[in-house]
Every structure is written in C-alpha cells, then in structure tokens.
Amino acid sequence: MDKKEKIIKDEIQKIINKVSEREIKTNVFLSSRQLDILSQLNEFSTEKILSDIEVEKDPRKIAYKTNHELKIALTALCLSVVLSNHRSKNKYNKEFFEDNIFIESENNETVYIRFENIEEKIVDEAINAELIFDWMVYRDNEGRGIYALINEKTCSMELDDYNAGGCPVYEFARFQRKYHEYKKHKEIKNKESAQEAFRNAVAQQVASQITTQQLLNGKDPMEFVNMLFGKPDFDNSIKEITKSLAKNKSKPLQISYDKKKKKRKK
C-alpha cells in the first residue's frame, strides 16, 4: 500500500469512527440506558452499510446511508410494538412511521432523531434492549435473517402459519407479533398451572387437618374421603328422605287461627 492509499484509508476510517460514535439526541424523553442502546444501534447501522455498493464507491455517503439504515431499524421497532398491541390504531403501519421518523446529522458528530406524531409510549417500548438485540440478529449481514432470529428466540414456538419473506420491516414485525402471542399464551398456561398447583396444595392441607380432627373425635376419616370422592349413594339418600317424611307424618297436624270477634252495633 502506497502513501496515497494509506491516507485515503485513514480518512475513510475517520469518517466511519465519527459516524459510528455520534451523539444521539431525540425530541422525546429517553433514559440514559435507552440512549446508550440507541447509540449501539447507530454503530451497528454504520457497520452494516460498509458493504453497500454505493458506500464502497463513495465513502462520503457513509453518514447518509447510516441514517437510512437507522430509520429502517426504528421503523421496524415501532411497527413491532404496535402490531403486538391489538388495541393500537389502524393508522400505524410501515408508511406512517416512515413519514414520521426524521434523522438529521450535524457535522457527523451528532445525530438528531425526531419522532413526529408518534405517541411517546410507542417510542419508549420500541427502544428496549431485547427488541434491538433481535433486530441486530435479524439484520446481520453475515447472518441467516429471520431463521437466525427464530433459532435465537425459541425452539418450541409454532410457526407453521408464519409468513416469512417480503419487506424486512414487515417480516421482522410479523415475527415479533407472533412471538408476543406465543409468550402471552405461555404466561397464561404457566399461571393456570401455578394456580392449579396452589389449589391442590391447599386442598391437601385442608384434608390433612380434617383427617387429624376426625381421628381426634374417634371417627373414621374414610367417611370424609368417601363424602368428597365417593359415588353418590342414591339408595341410602332415598331412605333418608322417606324416613324424614315418616317422622313428619307422625306428628299431629297443628292448625292455628284467630277467631274474629263480631263488632256490636251501637
């Protein structure tokens, strides 16, 4: 490598470093943790576009291409949030977020991200470590795309009806919705199992206490067990009813009434 090539390479590396290490500013409040992972997403976006044909031809496009890749990522993250929320508004689609996310560079040292007409709650939920990690796994140049993400996230999730392919933003968001439904179903199932286990434990505790009481009272605890789990003894029940009727029948019929007194005419 001659001196001129080395100078060019060094200058390109300076541009790469500047763009990947830019300070992130937004028009919505984000925690320091969120700004940190957003900076990592910016760095990831810079690394991803380095293999872009236009960038290889003209390194001056690094900042522009990085901003474009960052916008694709934020669009996919926001769309994932609204698709996973069945109460979200119909207006929230890919085009809506594309039209309302603006990314501007300031001397390659600061990048300003504006979320116009997007609820802050959506942005807050979109900028989280797990979702951004998923995007990096999915979007990695040397990865296997959606199949890498599927392998990363789960080994038991049913994806027979999952529609892979198409626009990367929609493919990623559809997967996140499917994964959200899978987690929700699993949480409900686990909760029901925990409740059933708790009920069984309580029933066992109560049965143990009643059995102890039965023994203290000189009674056979199996009577209690049969009462709970034995088959109904209809023959015995009929006898009990008829016996009760016979007892009531043997009692004299008591009729009471108040004799009305006639009023004397004055």
Side-chain angles (χ1 to χ4, degrees), residues 235-246:
D235 291 338
N236 188 57
S237 297
I238 290 172
K239 288 178 183 178
E240 290 295 328
I241 290 173
T242 53
K243 189 187 294 184
S244 176
L245 290 173

Side-chain angles (χ1 to χ4, degrees), residues 28 35 56 58 68 94 124 155 170-171 198 221 232-233 250:
V28 299
L35 288 172
E56 289 180 346
D58 187 356
H68 181 66
K94 172 177 170 284
D124 183 61
C155 58
Y170 274 121
E171 183 180 48
F198 178 76
D233 187 351
S250 64

Side-chain angles (χ1 to χ4, degrees), residues 61-156:
K61 292 184 178 181
I62 290 175
Y64 166 75
K65 283 288 185 176
T66 297
N67 290 353
H68 181 66
E69 179 62 27
L70 192 55
K71 182 170 180 173
I72 293 174
L74 293 172
T75 299
L77 297 175
C78 289
L79 186 62
S80 297
V81 169
V82 298
L83 285 186
S84 298
N85 183 356
H86 296 292
R87 292 185 296 172
S88 62
K89 300 171 184 176
N90 288 329
K91 69 176 182 178
Y92 291 140
N93 54 28
K94 172 177 170 284
E95 289 71 26
F96 173 84
F97 292 113
E98 286 177 337
D99 293 340
N100 286 279
I101 295 175
F102 300 93
I103 301 176
E104 301 168 353
S105 299
E106 297 178 6
N107 301 320
N108 289 341
E109 293 180 357
T110 305
V111 59
Y112 187 64
I113 304 173
R114 288 188 293 117
F115 298 94
E116 300 288 344
N117 302 315
I118 302 175
E119 296 175 55
E120 288 194 20
K121 183 180 178 182
I122 294 174
V123 178
D124 183 61
E125 291 181 22
I127 310 302
N128 78 80
E130 182 179 1
L131 203 53
I132 288 178
F133 170 79
D134 288 353
W135 175 256
M136 290 179 177
V137 170
Y138 168 72
R139 196 65 170 165
D140 183 12
N141 283 332
E142 299 180 0
R144 296 177 58 242
I146 195 65
Y147 300 105
L149 184 56
I150 290 170
N151 291 337
E152 178 68 36
K153 297 301 289 183
T154 180
C155 58
S156 60

Side-chain angles (χ1 to χ4, degrees), residues 20-34:
S20 64
E21 296 170 3
R22 295 178 298 182
E23 181 186 4
I24 305 290
K25 291 183 179 180
T26 67
N27 66 326
V28 299
F29 175 78
L30 295 176
S31 68
S32 58
R33 175 58 182 148
Q34 287 174 309

